[in-house]
């Protein structure tokens, strides 16, 4: 668990209200090409790109149901360890734990995710 005060997360200076964002497959592929090239300083192979896109599609419901605040991989974070230009959001989410579906509802620390203002910024966390 976390050491930050979950009761004050909605008033935290780095909190961004959750918003669902939509991409089509071509936009997602392009985002991963750009993000991978920027991070790895190399162009991804078709196989690498397919794996990245497939995992992101799974995590985000094909970039329709679960793409929150341009977070392409549903990356969790600790609000108290964000830099001045980083943000977080919170939303109800679920995971399979020991064979059972478990849901986390804000302000549960397990419902805290990295948030970005723009799709282009999302490339940075791919």
């Amino acid at each position: 668990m976390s050491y930050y005060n979950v009761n004050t997360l909605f008033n935290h200076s780095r909190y961004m209200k959750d918003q669902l964002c939509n991409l089509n497959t071509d936009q997602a592929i392009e985002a991963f090409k750009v993000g991978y090239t920027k991070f790895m300083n190399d162009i991804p192979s078709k196989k690498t790109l397919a794996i990245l896109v497939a995992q992101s599609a799974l995590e985000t419901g094909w970039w329709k149901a679960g793409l929150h605040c341009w977070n392409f991989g549903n990356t969790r974070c600790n609000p108290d360890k964000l830099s001045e230009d980083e943000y977080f959001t919170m939303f109800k989410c679920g995971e399979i734990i020991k064979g059972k579906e478990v849901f986390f509802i804000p302000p549960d620390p397990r419902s805290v995710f990295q948030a970005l203002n723009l799709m282009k910024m999302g490339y940075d966390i791919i």
Side-chain angles (χ1 to χ4, degrees), residues 76-124:
R76 287 193 165 100
C77 68
N78 179 334
D80 292 332
K81 293 186 178 181
L82 297 174
S83 68
E84 202 171 292
D85 62 344
E86 293 179 313
Y87 298 89
F88 73 93
T89 192
M90 294 182 286
F91 54 88
K92 179 181 177 182
C93 60
E95 291 188 12
I96 306 296
I97 299 175
K98 296 183 181 180
K100 293 184 180 183
E101 190 169 26
V102 179
F103 289 96
F104 307 114
I105 300 169
D108 187 304
R110 294 164 292 187
S111 70
V112 178
F113 294 84
Q114 192 171 13
L116 300 127
N117 281 315
L118 304 168
M119 178 180 147
K120 185 175 181 188
M121 293 173 70
Y123 299 157
D124 293 336

Side-chain angles (χ1 to χ4, degrees), residues 49-93:
L49 190 58
I51 291 168
L52 293 171
V53 170
Q55 180 63 35
S56 179
L58 175 68
E59 288 284 341
T60 65
W62 287 91
W63 314 285
K64 302 285 186 265
L67 180 56
H68 297 263
C69 296
W70 299 114
N71 183 334
F72 286 86
N74 286 336
T75 307
R76 287 193 165 100
C77 68
N78 179 334
D80 292 332
K81 293 186 178 181
L82 297 174
S83 68
E84 202 171 292
D85 62 344
E86 293 179 313
Y87 298 89
F88 73 93
T89 192
M90 294 182 286
F91 54 88
K92 179 181 177 182
C93 60

